[in-house]
Amino acid sequence: MYKPLIIAKNSFKELLRKKGLQALLVFSLILIGSSRLFSFLTPGEELKMIKDVGLSTIEFFGTLICIFAAIEAISSEIERKTLHTLLVKPLRRRDFVIGKFLGLSLNTLLNFSLMAIFFLVLLLFKEHTVSVGIFKALILIFFELLLISAIALAVSTFTSPAFSMVFSLFLYFVGHLINYGQTLLENVKNVYLVSLANFFYRIIPNFENFNIRDKVAVDIFVKWNYVAKTTGYGLIYVAVALLIGIYFFQKREI
Amino acid sequence: MSIAIKIENLTKIYHLPKKRKVTGLFNFNLEIEEGEIFGLLGPNGSGKTTLLKTILGLIFPTRGKVEIFGKEIGDIGVKRKIGFLPENPYYYEYLTGPELLDFYGDIFELPKRTKKKRSDELLSRVGLAELKHLALRNYSKGMLERIGLACALINDPKLLILDEPTTGLDPIGGRETRDLLLKLKEQGKTILLSSHFLSEVEKICDRIGILDQGNLLAIGRLKELLKEKKTETFEDLFIKIIKEK
């Protein structure tokens, strides 16, 4: 078997047993299920509320699950010294990182699917049909989650679990606010500050690209072309994050 | 006799915060011949674990080099020939003994039949054949030590590196492990072990090395060292060498 797949299988099995991740999943399902209750805030817009709350919950809790799982995937192996027994075997460090990412991706797929199916069932009860736009939004959320997993994994290859968590969450929020940042910059006159901000704008993934919730909730059409482009954009960042993770992990002393 | 492990001018310096440095190993030289059991001794913090980790490629030398069977440790082919038992081994606790051996066997790309055969043999050898269905979370410290030894042998290694192999074992388990190591030596395996138990080292090692503060203070056959240092017991020899430093 391809070695990263051996690591992926084992990592996935291990993540399935993490009680903290299971708790996050249960909490997200409760929140999705209770989205109808929020409709009293906006009478007459129950459907929009269900879509909005459902998709936001999948994205936010999916993000938390991905970050916690990614950090757990590397740090627990180091803390418990199981990594010692693995890296002395004919296993390249890059295969270990790729394997861990594949295991995380499987875990992401499972958690995402459970949340998405529950959300779709809820929508079907209400609307009896699900628009294609919802599937487009879900696809983009899934690739956003993959990117978050890759970033959290990469960061945890060279820092402590606490720093990895804070940094990954920070990047997630900054990545979502990046468009606002650009708008704010229009009024800034300092050339150096603008150059610096532009530099970060170019290297930090723009997570808002993956967000079509607002459009989908009010049935605004989103082209498949946009979904494909954004997916490609996400995958390029995944590859870059993994390369950074591999680079640092190869230098890390265990 | 060819050389299994060759260490030349190995220095390992740890860089700590505030520009502090700690020397783990300093200009360390060592050659271990194929087929011998070499015992590494030293007080806590003497550099034993640093040495083993450097040999295994878990940490990287500041200077100098380590060769195993003539090749650097980064070579995947070399890793196929090594078995390693860490101190206080900890494994994936949700796996059973056979599942753990199967997992490591997969990393060595062992054919399915070979993997099964070796796994059964090793579980019997370390006395865990009756506990096939027990998850590792239910293992005692001694049982973890024994499954660790089985894992270290799953690839039928030419070189076995053991860090405190009998720490968690009761006297019977300790004896069985020693017997197993002697049997492995008969089969031509090279064994490098670090231990605090002088009696254990005395009984099975062909040569010993005593190190402290990253320096190799003495190396040789126990009888020769006893004669050279004019001491009668191994304990006296150990204390004398450490104090003479």
Side-chain angles (χ1 to χ4, degrees):
Chain A
M1 199 194 290
Y2 179 52
K3 285 193 189 159
L5 289 182
I6 301 167
I7 300 298
K9 191 177 141 194
N10 192 50
S11 183
F12 179 58
K13 270 185 180 178
E14 194 167 21
L15 289 171
L16 284 181
R17 286 167 175 79
K18 297 291 172 194
K19 298 259 187 315
L21 300 182
Q22 290 168 6
L24 280 173
L25 177 67
V26 169
F27 199 66
S28 71
L29 294 177
I30 292 170
L31 210 60
I32 294 168
S34 59
S35 59
R36 290 181 74 164
L37 300 176
F38 290 100
S39 58
F40 75 90
L41 294 169
T42 49
E45 292 193 17
E46 191 181 353
L47 193 63
K48 179 179 178 299
M49 205 63 189
I50 292 173
K51 287 178 184 173
D52 216 6
V53 172
L55 290 170
S56 300
T57 305
I58 293 172
E59 192 215 309
F60 184 68
F61 278 87
T63 298
L64 290 183
I65 290 171
C66 286
I67 291 176
F68 283 119
I71 292 166
E72 182 71 27
I74 297 273
S75 64
S76 67
E77 294 259 14
I78 295 172
E79 277 168 22
R80 292 179 321 196
K81 296 181 179 174
T82 41
L83 198 54
H84 287 191
T85 59
L86 271 178
L87 294 183
V88 300
K89 295 188 166 46
L91 174 74
R92 291 179 207 282
R93 289 187 179 212
R94 65 160 186 254
D95 287 346
F96 176 79
V97 175
I98 294 168
K100 281 288 171 186
F101 177 69
L102 293 176
L104 283 172
S105 302
L106 274 177
N107 183 61
T108 303
L109 182 65
L110 177 73
N111 285 292
F112 169 82
S113 302
L114 290 172
M115 288 189 281
I117 288 168
F118 187 60
F119 167 64
L120 291 172
V121 168
L122 207 70
L123 266 186
L124 274 175
F125 269 117
K126 181 71 190 160
E127 208 182 17
H128 305 295
T129 175
V130 178
S131 68
V132 181
I134 291 289
F135 287 102
K136 289 174 183 169
L138 285 171
I139 289 169
L140 288 182
I141 289 174
F142 177 69
F143 280 96
E144 182 183 0
L145 295 180
L146 282 191
L147 175 53
I148 290 162
S149 297
I151 290 171
L153 185 76
V155 177
S156 59
T157 56
F158 60 91
T159 60
S160 66
F163 183 84
S164 308
M165 191 174 68
V166 172
F167 184 81
S168 305
L169 278 171
F170 173 76
L171 212 60
Y172 167 75
F173 287 117
V174 170
H176 271 290
L177 295 171
I178 211 159
N179 290 341
Y180 293 109
Q182 272 300 97
T183 315
L184 288 175
L185 269 181
E186 285 169 9
N187 299 320
V188 176
K189 299 255 170 19
N190 187 324
V191 181
Y192 297 108
L193 193 63
V194 172
S195 305
L196 189 70
N198 277 330
F199 171 73
F200 284 114
Y201 178 73
R202 280 176 219 287
I203 62 165
I204 293 174
N206 186 344
F207 284 117
E208 270 305 295
N209 287 343
F210 298 91
N211 180 10
I212 56 168
R213 281 195 311 272
D214 296 340
K215 290 176 184 166
V216 166
V218 291
D219 291 326
I220 294 175
F221 181 72
V222 177
K223 287 182 180 172
W224 275 112
N225 191 24
Y226 177 81
V227 177
K229 268 186 187 171
T230 310
T231 301
Y233 170 84
L235 289 176
I236 289 169
Y237 268 102
V238 165
V240 172
L242 286 181
L243 285 174
I244 292 170
I246 289 168
Y247 174 78
F248 282 108
F249 193 62
Q250 278 178 331
K251 291 184 174 297
R252 180 160 187 167
E253 298 203 318
I254 310 294
Chain B
M1 190 69 81
S2 48
I3 303 297
I5 301 177
K6 186 175 181 181
I7 299 168
E8 274 182 280
N9 302 320
L10 183 66
T11 296
K12 175 66 193 173
I13 296 168
Y14 292 103
H15 295 270
L16 304 175
K18 295 180 184 172
K19 293 187 176 178
R20 283 181 300 141
K21 290 176 183 176
V22 171
T23 304
L25 293 168
F26 187 72
N27 271 348
F28 197 95
N29 291 286
L30 178 67
E31 282 188 0
I32 298 175
E33 290 176 354
E34 270 192 55
E36 76 170 327
I37 302 185
F38 189 91
L40 209 52
L41 291 151
N44 291 332
S46 57
K48 299 190 296 289
T49 303
T50 297
L51 179 63
L52 294 189
K53 279 185 167 185
T54 314
I55 292 172
L56 290 161
L58 294 171
I59 58 176
F60 311 112
T62 309
R63 279 191 301 276
K65 66 172 183 178
V66 178
E67 281 182 1
I68 297 177
F69 301 116
K71 288 187 174 166
E72 288 188 16
I73 184 64
D75 188 291
I76 287 289
V78 166
K79 288 189 174 182
R80 287 183 196 285
K81 298 175 184 169
I82 301 175
F84 172 55
L85 172 68
E87 186 182 3
N88 300 323
Y90 188 95
Y91 298 101
Y92 305 98
E93 57 179 23
Y94 51 88
L95 298 178
T96 62
E99 283 170 345
L100 184 72
L101 291 172
D102 189 62
F103 171 64
Y104 286 129
D106 279 340
I107 303 237
F108 281 105
E109 296 168 297
L110 298 179
K112 208 172 177 181
R113 212 177 273 179
T114 313
K115 209 168 50 178
K116 173 85 176 70
K117 193 174 161 232
R118 278 207 200 138
S119 172
D120 289 344
E121 270 174 21
L122 288 168
L123 286 170
S124 302
R125 228 170 174 182
V126 298
L128 294 171
E130 303 296 315
L131 302 164
K132 277 183 177 175
H133 303 291
L134 194 67
L136 265 60
R137 77 172 73 88
N138 301 312
Y139 274 33
S140 68
K141 202 177 171 193
M143 286 156 78
L144 281 173
E145 202 76 42
R146 283 187 274 158
I147 193 70
L149 193 56
C151 288
L153 293 169
I154 188 72
N155 55 322
D156 191 21
K158 275 180 80 178
L159 169 64
L160 201 53
I161 298 178
L162 313 167
D163 195 359
E164 305 285 351
T166 54
T167 300
L169 298 177
D170 56 32
I172 299 170
R175 174 76 175 268
E176 284 170 356
T177 302
R178 279 200 303 274
D179 291 345
L180 176 60
L181 295 182
L182 289 169
K183 214 169 195 177
L184 291 167
K185 177 188 153 62
E186 277 172 26
Q187 291 169 12
K189 315 277 185 205
T190 309
I191 300 170
L192 166 61
L193 65 91
S194 89
S195 179
H196 279 111
F197 297 115
L198 299 183
S199 61
E200 172 184 283
V201 172
E202 191 174 12
K203 280 173 193 155
I204 59 171
C205 292
D206 299 308
R207 285 195 307 148
I208 59 159
I210 297 177
L211 69 157
D212 193 26
Q213 294 183 345
N215 294 297
L216 189 59
L217 304 178
I219 183 169
R221 294 189 182 277
L222 184 58
K223 276 184 188 170
E224 290 164 8
L225 287 174
L226 286 169
K227 203 172 163 187
E228 188 186 313
K229 297 287 175 187
K230 293 173 186 155
T231 47
E232 285 184 7
T233 66
F234 191 8
E235 195 178 3
D236 290 341
L237 172 76
F238 182 77
I239 293 169
K240 192 173 183 183
I241 288 173
I242 297 291
K243 283 190 173 170
E244 261 181 8
K245 171 189 65 181

